[in-house]
Amino acid sequence: MEHTQVIIRPVVSEKSYVLSAADKYTFRVHADAHKTEIRQAVESLFDVKVLEVRTMTVKSKPKRRGLIRGRTRRWKKAIVQVRSGDTIPIFQGLESKGS
């Protein structure tokens, strides 16, 4: 799997902003990607040194619109800790817009 297919997009939430202060960044990743692939993708795409990768599968939630019932998709999330001093520019631009 190519590096651009492993990482789908960054997760933008209040929790991800708090984690970015501790050099941890959150991404939505391909469901079949494992930790080694995620580490290699982040290191090659953003030119940083990854110290730790934590992954989890986010369960689907029940949703309803009128009488139609369904569920959201399940997806995989990865929290990546980078070396102190390294930053990922995607999250830097979002932090400055919040204030």
Side-chain angles (χ1 to χ4, degrees), residues 19 24-26 52-56 77-81:
L19 288 174
K24 295 181 180 180
Y25 301 99
T26 309
E52 184 180 24
V53 178
R54 294 181 179 217
T55 60
M56 62 212 73
K77 176 167 62 170
I79 299 175
V80 178
Q81 182 175 4

Side-chain angles (χ1 to χ4, degrees), residues 62-71:
K63 295 289 180 180
R64 200 176 114 186
R65 187 171 185 119
L67 297 175
I68 308 298
R69 293 174 183 232
R71 296 187 73 86

